[in-house]
Amino acid sequence: MPIGMIILGRQGSGKGTQALRIAESFGVIHISTGDMLRAAAADGTELGLKAKSIMDSGDLVPDSVINGIVKERLLKEDVLRGGFLLDGFPRTVGQAEALLSYVDEDLQLAVHLYVSIEEVTARMLARGRDDDTAEAITRRLELYETETAPLLDWFTERGILTIVDGGGTESEVFDRLVDAVEEISEK
Ligand code: AMP
């Protein structure tokens, strides 16, 4: 069975970088909702322009919008064949419920890439993306605690959560993630 996994972590935890590397190593399809929304914004589609102002403020795009985009992506041939690694989704309980209704047992692993608030704030200010203003960073971290952190218990209850320490060098973190993914691939 192809791998089906999600990576959760605060913005700035390094999950985007690591997700790309894991996807490449295991031949699984990387699906980043942030990348999809930024691409739509760059294309100037109606959805993209609406999303852009929400993203710039650090708020979340409504579940009704993002769930549809993800559902459509998960049904594409490459994902059905190669599996998926979702990065940046789900971010709310509503999104997690929608995801399980689409993939059910195909979701085998939820990784929590843990990095402290102090460390992610420093990393985000250093990367200087244009939606990384101090206000937007604070807003995103608040929303992570209120909307996304509850998902950690939710996935623990389902027995699929693994916590990975996101501290240290990029390759140290990568090695820890590989171990976590190999554990489920061996099952
Ligand atoms: P990211 O690249 O994952 O940090 O996402 C950048 C921005 O895109 C976020 O701050 C949100 O505004 C929006 N976004 C990305 N994924 C989601 C999602 N699953 N639900 C709601 N908004 C999202």
Side-chain angles (χ1 to χ4, degrees):
M1 187 163 68
I3 293 173
M5 63 177 284
I6 63 177
I7 184 161
L8 296 160
R10 294 191 169 102
Q11 291 77 13
S13 61
K15 66 185 158 51
T17 309
Q18 297 289 350
L20 276 170
R21 290 186 60 174
I22 290 289
E24 199 179 320
S25 295
F26 289 87
V28 54
I29 308 297
H30 174 227
I31 304 176
S32 156
T33 44
D35 286 352
M36 289 166 90
L37 293 171
R38 279 185 287 277
D43 286 347
T45 61
E46 196 187 328
L47 163 79
L49 297 176
K50 268 194 208 141
K52 170 111 180 62
S53 62
I54 297 175
M55 291 165 82
D56 285 346
S57 68
D59 279 332
L60 294 175
V61 172
D63 287 359
S64 56
V65 173
I66 201 82
N67 290 348
I69 296 175
V70 171
K71 182 177 185 186
E72 205 175 291
R73 185 68 192 89
L74 287 170
L75 289 171
K76 295 250 163 76
E77 181 59 32
D78 58 342
V79 175
L80 297 176
R81 216 177 332 107
F84 59 88
L85 195 185
L86 279 163
D87 161 17
F89 183 96
R91 263 177 157 93
T92 65
V93 170
Q95 293 178 15
E97 282 169 349
L99 175 63
L100 285 180
S101 77
Y102 310 149
V103 298
D104 194 27
E105 299 286 304
D106 291 342
L107 179 64
Q108 301 141 287
L109 175 67
V111 171
H112 175 201
L113 188 62
Y114 176 80
V115 180
S116 71
I117 291 194
E118 294 72 26
E119 176 67 21
V120 291
T121 305
R123 290 189 193 177
M124 274 193 277
L125 287 170
R127 76 184 177 184
R129 211 167 69 186
D130 70 359
D131 59 345
D132 280 344
T133 57
E135 295 74 26
I137 290 172
T138 306
R139 178 77 186 130
R140 279 196 233 117
L141 289 174
E142 267 171 24
L143 282 172
Y144 182 81
E145 300 311 319
T146 56
E147 301 292 326
T148 310
L151 298 183
L152 300 171
D153 285 343
W154 209 78
F155 286 114
T156 303
E157 277 161 27
R158 292 190 66 91
I160 59 169
L161 192 90
T162 298
I163 301 171
V164 171
D165 174 6
T169 66
E170 190 183 310
S171 42
E172 282 165 351
V173 177
F174 180 67
D175 291 345
R176 291 178 206 133
L177 282 167
V178 167
D179 288 346
V181 179
E182 278 176 349
E183 246 176 65
I184 62 141
S185 330
E186 282 158 16
K187 274 188 197 159

